[in-house]
Amino acid sequence: MPPSSSTPKIMQRLLPIIAVLCMSTLRPVSAFLAPKSIAVRRKTELQAGIFDNIANLFNPAEPKSVEIEESKRLFSIPVRSMKLGGLRFALGLHLMGMQGKPERGTWKTKQADDGIIDMFHKDETGSMAFTFKEREIVVDRWGPFPSKTYLADESYVLHEFLDEINSMAMGGNEGSIGEEDRLIELADFGGAAIEKARSTLQERRK
């Protein structure tokens, strides 16, 4: 409906501009919220905000779009041999048991269709992805801005994870599992890879 004659002239001039702004910024409400660094194995696109659109109305420019790779390789453990299915199952059970560490509800564990085991933190600032390859076990972090709480809880889980791998490679308590029945054999017999991985973590909680 056209504006009435009583509408001030200044409003008549502003109406087309307001209409353009509304159309150019018509996006879901979530688009204007601060982006989360939640753990997902993907890339995040940061879109131009409403104030950028207003500025570009008077000074046209190319749309702004920045892609951030959210993953960070924490460590990898070289493996001489492994029984892949059994190892992934056993370590998956171990990680499920860590969901309540250091307190109940801290983590949620899920195995993806590609066999990767993901652990999602309750504060949604990061997650871990455990990948089992033929010759290595890889742990990545997803989320570019993990909180201090997340980092502390992550280190807690990973110290325990490394303990579990080392125990399996050594044959369990007092080496009671014979070498031929062990689920994993590390590429180095002295456990140097385990200690190297451990050195990247925060100091272990007492």
Side-chain angles (χ1 to χ4, degrees):
M1 178 182 295
S4 65
S5 58
S6 61
T7 305
K9 291 183 179 181
I10 185 65
M11 289 300 299
Q12 295 182 35
R13 294 177 181 176
L14 287 176
L15 283 174
I17 297 176
I18 294 173
V20 170
L21 288 175
C22 290
M23 292 300 295
S24 65
T25 59
L26 188 60
R27 290 178 290 172
V29 174
S30 60
F32 301 102
L33 300 178
K36 287 185 177 181
S37 57
I38 186 171
V40 285
R41 290 184 268 126
R42 59 163 172 75
K43 292 183 178 180
T44 295
E45 183 177 285
L46 303 180
Q47 299 181 358
I50 184 171
F51 295 108
D52 294 319
N53 287 328
I54 294 175
N56 290 339
L57 181 65
F58 301 100
N59 184 23
E62 291 295 321
K64 295 181 180 180
S65 178
V66 180
E67 286 192 348
I68 299 178
E69 182 62 60
E70 293 192 353
S71 66
K72 176 184 178 180
R73 178 62 45 85
L74 296 179
F75 58 78
S76 64
I77 306 295
V79 174
R80 186 180 303 276
S81 66
M82 72 167 76
K83 297 176 181 177
L84 182 57
L87 180 67
R88 183 162 51 205
F89 178 75
L91 288 176
L93 288 178
H94 169 78
L95 292 174
M96 287 183 64
M98 296 297 297
Q99 290 182 115
K101 305 292 184 177
E103 61 185 28
R104 185 175 181 180
T106 299
W107 299 95
K108 289 184 179 179
T109 303
K110 179 180 178 181
Q111 181 168 319
D113 294 337
D114 54 11
I116 296 175
I117 298 174
D118 293 303
M119 290 192 75
F120 301 93
H121 195 265
K122 64 181 180 181
D123 74 4
E124 298 188 338
T125 64
S127 72
M128 293 180 284
F130 299 80
T131 306
F132 300 86
K133 301 182 179 181
E134 185 178 354
R135 294 297 182 185
E136 64 177 342
I137 299 173
V138 176
V139 180
D140 295 311
R141 177 196 300 144
W142 290 83
F145 307 114
S147 66
K148 291 183 178 179
T149 298
Y150 170 85
L151 292 174
D153 293 344
E154 176 190 79
S155 291
Y156 184 94
V157 169
L158 292 180
H159 276 297
E160 296 290 327
F161 180 73
L162 292 172
D163 287 346
E164 188 69 11
I165 291 177
N166 190 59
S167 176
M168 289 181 172
M170 299 298 292
N173 295 332
E174 300 180 356
S176 57
I177 301 176
E179 292 185 10
E180 66 281 359
D181 295 323
R182 296 176 187 177
L183 295 176
I184 183 173
E185 181 184 357
L186 299 178
D188 65 309
F189 296 101
I194 295 286
E195 294 309 311
K196 181 179 179 181
R198 204 182 295 279
S199 69
T200 67
L201 308 177
Q202 292 186 9
E203 186 177 352
R204 191 165 201 162
R205 295 178 184 176
K206 296 181 180 179

